[in-house]
Amino acid sequence: MRNASYLQLALAGLLSWSGVAWAQDLQPLRVANQKSGIRLLLEAAGELERVPYSIQFSEFPAAAPLGEALNAGAVDVGGLGDAPYVFALGTGAPLKVISIVHAAGRLSTAIVVPKDSPLQNVADLKGKRIVTGRGSIGHFLALKALRGAGLQSSDVQFIHLLPSDARGVLESGGADAWSTWDPYTAIAITQGARVLVNGSQLLSNNSYLAATGQAIESKRPQLEDFVKRLERAYRWANRHPDAYAAAQSRVTGLPRETHLESARNTRFQRVPIDDAVIEGLQATADLYFEEGITGKRIDVSQGFDKRFNEAADGPLLPAPSQASGHR
């Protein structure tokens, strides 16, 4: 019996040593991050502690440059909305969605106007100027809203700018409306803008985590572990809206109360990668083609990896004796 105990201890030590050695061999995971996005959530939820591989974050102001970085192989994985993902796929790069989360009840997308604007509904946008990012989720929202009101994209003038420039154009009178997303919706509303269109009824409000084919091939353990951490972080946000709002406030510089209402009324839920999701994104791609935004019809069916559907379940990778850290 005593010999058996020694054998168990020896085996446990061997497994522990080999796990640490294996963890040290894992390559860094390069993660693309947007403001108030994945990194904030993971840090607030404590999911960046004791990670057995290095996470290297790169910051991007919007989904379009993030998608370009994915296409160029400058990053391994990043989060972006369904509409921007269509553009990313349009270049022919071997990208795959490995995880999807749906945000229910959140003012994540909206068309906003100055508080004293005479515009009262979508029909009033005819002949007006809408500032948004080309191919962004804001652009898609504007197209969907216009179609729903019986208007065409040619009935308005689009001004394509990044969010950092778009807000100033709206405030200076250079545009009549701004079609955008969180946290910029929160920023605009806090500074006096009024919501003309809430995108919660027009869009899927799905966020895609997309990885390069090379990363899926060479860093699959890291990606599966990262998906699990992100799933756990979203569940944490559902349970701790006050703490999540406080973390957002530290990044955006806005009062905690600005984010608190949204955080308390938002439920994040993982969505399986299935045929219904793929068909929905195909409809988005087809709309962009019909509007002449993409020069060719994009087949999105190859842009998903259903093998990751089970990745959010099960234990994380074994942690090393000390956290490997992130930067």
Side-chain angles (χ1 to χ4, degrees), residues 236-303:
W236 173 88
N238 287 339
R239 298 191 305 268
H240 303 90
D242 291 53
Y244 185 38
Q248 289 178 304
S249 176
R250 287 192 292 271
V251 171
T252 65
L254 296 175
R256 184 179 67 94
E257 290 71 21
T258 300
H259 296 286
L260 190 55
E261 182 177 358
S262 174
R264 284 179 174 173
N265 291 282
T266 300
R267 297 293 297 178
F268 296 104
Q269 183 176 3
R270 183 162 60 100
V271 176
I273 301 171
D274 58 19
D275 292 344
V277 168
I278 297 172
E279 289 171 5
L281 187 65
Q282 188 62 60
T284 300
D286 292 345
L287 186 149
Y288 272 172
F289 178 63
E290 293 168 9
E291 291 286 349
I293 299 171
T294 56
K296 61 180 181 180
R297 186 179 185 277
I298 300 170
D299 180 4
V300 306
S301 62
Q302 301 304 308

Side-chain angles (χ1 to χ4, degrees), residues 99-113:
S99 180
I100 306 172
V101 66
H102 173 71
R106 182 184 187 184
L107 188 66
S108 57
T109 53
I111 300 177
V112 299
V113 297

Side-chain angles (χ1 to χ4, degrees), residues 206-236:
N206 287 342
S207 178
Y208 290 169
L209 186 69
T212 66
Q214 177 61 35
I216 292 174
E217 189 70 26
S218 62
K219 301 181 182 181
R220 188 177 181 88
Q222 296 96 308
L223 288 173
E224 290 188 347
D225 181 83
F226 191 78
V227 166
K228 294 171 187 174
R229 292 178 186 276
L230 195 55
E231 165 71 3
R232 285 157 49 116
Y234 279 120
R235 291 201 298 263
W236 173 88

Side-chain angles (χ1 to χ4, degrees), residues 7-20:
L7 180 60
Q8 290 171 349
L9 288 172
L11 180 59
L14 178 61
L15 290 173
S16 174
W17 178 86
S18 62
V20 172

Side-chain angles (χ1 to χ4, degrees), residues 64-149:
L66 188 155
E68 292 172 1
L70 278 169
N71 282 332
V75 293
D76 298 316
V77 64
L80 64 172
D82 46 8
Y85 187 54
V86 168
F87 266 76
L89 287 178
T91 65
L95 303 179
K96 304 282 186 182
V97 169
I98 61 174
S99 180
I100 306 172
V101 66
H102 173 71
R106 182 184 187 184
L107 188 66
S108 57
T109 53
I111 300 177
V112 299
V113 297
K115 61 180 178 180
D116 56 354
S117 170
L119 304 181
Q120 298 298 320
N121 52 52
V122 179
D124 292 340
L125 288 171
K126 186 173 183 179
K128 304 302 182 181
R129 301 158 299 174
I130 303 174
V131 63
T132 192
R134 179 176 175 81
S136 68
I137 196 66
H139 193 181
F140 185 61
L141 170 60
L143 293 174
K144 289 278 286 186
L146 290 170
R147 286 193 169 202

